[in-house]
Amino acid sequence: MSASTLRAAGMVTLVVAALLGSAYALGRSLVPDHPDRGTGVAASIHTPHYGDQPPSTEFPGPPGGGYGGPSPDASPSASDDARQPDDSEGPYGARTSTGSTRIALTFDDGPDPQWTPQVLALLKEYGVKATFCIVGENAESHPDLVRSIVADGHTICNHSWNHDISLGKRSPAAIRDDLLRTNDAIRAAAPDARIAYFRQPGGAWTYQVVSTCEDLGMTPLHWAVDPTDWQVPGAAKITQTVLAETRPGSIVLMHDAGGDRSGTVEALQRLLPELMHRFQLEALPTGTT
């Protein structure tokens, strides 16, 4: 085959290859791309946020932690809908205000032998009465601290036997047994203690738990200010949040147990004189319960 024939054949081959490539590119442009496959997990603005310490081996909580609203599985039933509150109340009508211009400091999850005495000492130093939401098994383990809380004139609140965030999903009988067991442990330490309030762990209120605690003569107690000290944000952040969000009538949520509460204790040293300058502080009234 001559050289000119070979060159001609090569040119034909190049032209054919170019035409085939153009045709392939045109065909691909006419086929829609496959959509990207996501993770299958969508973020939601309705993700619950709770008000106590995150899950731990001591106080198990919902997956992912966070506090301040109903439990993830606590879907309202027909009876729940009948009890849904207006905007001036907490979940299912739980109390969020003192009902006056005074404010109330509340401390959850104790008593704790390391942190509760420090909180009590600061409150005594400034002459402030507060409300302590007590876990039954901690009352049983530290009856001396329960007696100290009562002797100092603070209000007692039932906080369930072992900080059971899912308590509200149990049967009324099981809820009743849990609350009575906790009351018994508190009164075994301090027989004259008046227990006028119940605070659902995690703020995971349901109709069942509200109805049961009210049947036992206790007021469901929520909060208005949550500095999330269970996240250990540091004393400065706790102080900043409380001072920025507290208004006349606010119920403030803090913790004297359930983890490292050094930040809470340090924050109290700054908060107490400033809050006393701005407001009157009170222990929530117990009535005759």
Side-chain angles (χ1 to χ4, degrees):
M1 185 178 293
S2 65
S4 60
T5 302
L6 289 172
R7 284 196 296 272
M11 290 296 294
V12 170
T13 302
L14 290 172
V15 170
V16 171
L19 290 172
L20 289 173
S22 299
Y24 176 79
L26 177 62
R28 286 290 299 165
S29 68
L30 297 175
V31 179
D33 291 335
H34 292 290
D36 292 336
R37 297 187 184 276
T39 61
V41 179
S44 171
I45 60 173
H46 301 297
T47 300
H49 175 74
Y50 298 90
D52 292 327
Q53 74 279 352
S56 69
T57 55
E58 183 177 4
F59 294 128
Y67 294 84
S71 63
D73 300 323
S75 301
S77 63
S79 58
D80 291 347
D81 292 338
R83 291 293 299 269
Q84 288 288 359
D86 59 36
D87 291 340
S88 65
E89 298 179 315
Y92 299 96
R95 184 169 180 172
T96 61
S97 170
T98 63
S100 71
T101 58
R102 298 182 179 186
I103 70 167
L105 301 181
T106 65
F107 297 92
D108 283 15
D109 299 353
D112 177 273
Q114 180 175 5
W115 307 114
T116 302
Q118 295 182 55
V119 171
L120 288 174
L122 282 169
L123 295 174
K124 180 176 288 187
E125 178 182 346
Y126 287 95
V128 171
K129 306 300 182 186
T131 299
F132 285 80
C133 299
I134 291 178
V135 172
E137 62 182 6
N138 290 341
E140 185 177 68
S141 298
H142 307 291
D144 55 321
L145 293 177
V146 177
R147 286 191 288 271
S148 295
I149 292 169
V150 173
D152 284 356
H154 302 295
T155 293
I156 300 294
C157 170
N158 182 318
H159 199 37
S160 85
W161 176 254
N162 62 352
H163 201 272
D164 183 2
I165 291 175
S166 64
L167 179 65
K169 296 184 291 182
R170 303 186 187 281
S171 69
I175 297 170
R176 182 182 180 88
D177 288 346
D178 186 289
L179 270 54
L180 287 174
R181 184 182 184 190
T182 303
N183 282 351
D184 288 345
I186 293 170
R187 290 190 173 117
D192 296 330
R194 293 178 175 176
I195 309 168
Y197 301 92
F198 169 75
R199 175 172 281 168
Q200 167 61 28
W205 296 99
T206 64
Y207 168 76
Q208 290 93 329
V209 76
V210 168
S211 177
T212 302
C213 80
E214 289 180 339
D215 286 346
L216 293 174
M218 293 182 286
T219 298
L221 180 63
H222 201 63
W223 57 83
V225 178
D226 176 13
T228 61
D229 61 337
W230 55 271
Q231 291 182 324
V232 195
K237 182 63 175 177
I238 296 169
T239 303
Q240 177 186 5
T241 302
V242 172
L243 292 180
E245 297 184 6
T246 300
R247 302 286 184 271
S250 290
I251 295 174
V252 181
L253 169 69
M254 288 187 284
H255 297 77
D256 65 321
D260 180 0
R261 300 298 172 233
S262 57
T264 302
V265 171
E266 184 179 347
L268 277 176
Q269 296 171 356
R270 309 176 191 181
L271 283 170
L272 286 170
E274 184 61 30
L275 289 174
M276 292 178 67
H277 176 70
R278 299 185 186 187
F279 308 98
Q280 286 184 298
L281 281 66
E282 70 172 6
L284 290 168
T286 58
T288 58
T289 303

Short mmCIF file of all heavy atoms in Angstrom, two decimals, residues 84-94 96-97 223-224:
data_model
loop_
_atom_site.label_atom_id
_atom_site.label_comp_id
_atom_site.label_asym_id
_atom_site.label_seq_id
_atom_site.Cartn_x
_atom_site.Cartn_y
_atom_site.Cartn_z
N GLN A 84 -53.50 20.41 76.79
CA GLN A 84 -52.46 21.28 76.28
C GLN A 84 -52.68 22.71 76.77
O GLN A 84 -53.79 23.23 76.68
CB GLN A 84 -52.42 21.24 74.76
CG GLN A 84 -51.87 19.95 74.20
CD GLN A 84 -50.37 19.82 74.41
OE1 GLN A 84 -49.75 20.72 74.96
NE2 GLN A 84 -49.80 18.72 73.99
N PRO A 85 -51.65 23.38 77.28
CA PRO A 85 -51.81 24.70 77.88
C PRO A 85 -51.78 25.79 76.84
O PRO A 85 -51.45 25.59 75.68
CB PRO A 85 -50.58 24.80 78.78
CG PRO A 85 -49.54 24.03 78.04
CD PRO A 85 -50.29 22.87 77.40
N ASP A 86 -52.13 27.02 77.29
CA ASP A 86 -51.90 28.17 76.43
C ASP A 86 -50.46 28.63 76.61
O ASP A 86 -49.68 28.03 77.34
CB ASP A 86 -52.90 29.28 76.75
CG ASP A 86 -52.80 29.76 78.19
OD1 ASP A 86 -51.68 29.82 78.73
OD2 ASP A 86 -53.85 30.09 78.79
N ASP A 87 -50.10 29.73 75.92
CA ASP A 87 -48.70 30.14 75.90
C ASP A 87 -48.21 30.65 77.25
O ASP A 87 -47.01 30.83 77.44
CB ASP A 87 -48.50 31.23 74.85
CG ASP A 87 -48.67 30.69 73.44
OD1 ASP A 87 -48.55 29.47 73.27
OD2 ASP A 87 -48.94 31.50 72.52
N SER A 88 -49.11 30.92 78.19
CA SER A 88 -48.69 31.46 79.48
C SER A 88 -48.31 30.36 80.46
O SER A 88 -47.86 30.65 81.56
CB SER A 88 -49.81 32.31 80.09
OG SER A 88 -50.94 31.49 80.40
N GLU A 89 -48.47 29.11 80.07
CA GLU A 89 -48.17 27.98 80.95
C GLU A 89 -47.07 27.14 80.34
O GLU A 89 -46.75 27.23 79.15
CB GLU A 89 -49.42 27.13 81.15
CG GLU A 89 -50.58 27.84 81.83
CD GLU A 89 -51.79 26.92 81.96
OE1 GLU A 89 -52.12 26.23 80.99
OE2 GLU A 89 -52.39 26.90 83.05
N GLY A 90 -46.50 26.25 81.19
CA GLY A 90 -45.54 25.28 80.70
C GLY A 90 -46.25 24.08 80.11
O GLY A 90 -47.47 24.07 79.97
N PRO A 91 -45.49 23.04 79.78
CA PRO A 91 -46.08 21.84 79.18
C PRO A 91 -47.18 21.25 80.06
O PRO A 91 -47.00 21.06 81.25
CB PRO A 91 -44.89 20.88 79.07
CG PRO A 91 -43.70 21.78 79.02
CD PRO A 91 -44.04 22.93 79.90
N TYR A 92 -48.36 21.01 79.47
CA TYR A 92 -49.51 20.42 80.17
C TYR A 92 -49.88 21.21 81.41
O TYR A 92 -50.37 20.67 82.40
CB TYR A 92 -49.23 18.95 80.50
CG TYR A 92 -49.00 18.12 79.27
CD1 TYR A 92 -47.71 17.87 78.80
CD2 TYR A 92 -50.07 17.63 78.54
CE1 TYR A 92 -47.51 17.15 77.64
CE2 TYR A 92 -49.87 16.91 77.37
CZ TYR A 92 -48.59 16.68 76.93
OH TYR A 92 -48.39 15.96 75.76
N GLY A 93 -49.66 22.51 81.37
CA GLY A 93 -50.04 23.37 82.48
C GLY A 93 -49.06 23.41 83.62
O GLY A 93 -49.37 23.98 84.67
N ALA A 94 -47.86 22.83 83.44
CA ALA A 94 -46.86 22.86 84.51
C ALA A 94 -46.48 24.31 84.83
O ALA A 94 -46.44 25.16 83.95
CB ALA A 94 -45.63 22.06 84.11
N THR A 96 -44.53 27.63 85.50
CA THR A 96 -43.29 28.25 85.04
C THR A 96 -43.02 29.60 85.70
O THR A 96 -42.00 30.22 85.44
CB THR A 96 -43.32 28.47 83.51
OG1 THR A 96 -44.40 29.36 83.19
CG2 THR A 96 -43.49 27.16 82.75
N SER A 97 -43.94 30.04 86.55
CA SER A 97 -43.81 31.35 87.18
C SER A 97 -44.13 31.25 88.66
O SER A 97 -44.92 30.40 89.09
CB SER A 97 -44.76 32.35 86.52
OG SER A 97 -44.83 33.56 87.24
N TRP A 223 -40.06 25.41 84.44
CA TRP A 223 -39.14 26.53 84.64
C TRP A 223 -39.29 27.53 83.50
O TRP A 223 -39.90 27.24 82.47
CB TRP A 223 -37.69 26.03 84.70
CG TRP A 223 -37.28 25.25 83.47
CD1 TRP A 223 -36.83 25.75 82.27
CD2 TRP A 223 -37.30 23.83 83.33
NE1 TRP A 223 -36.57 24.73 81.40
CE2 TRP A 223 -36.85 23.54 82.02
CE3 TRP A 223 -37.64 22.78 84.18
CZ2 TRP A 223 -36.73 22.24 81.54
CZ3 TRP A 223 -37.53 21.48 83.70
CH2 TRP A 223 -37.08 21.21 82.41
N ALA A 224 -38.72 28.71 83.70
CA ALA A 224 -38.74 29.74 82.67
C ALA A 224 -37.34 30.07 82.16
O ALA A 224 -37.18 30.53 81.03
CB ALA A 224 -39.39 31.02 83.21
#
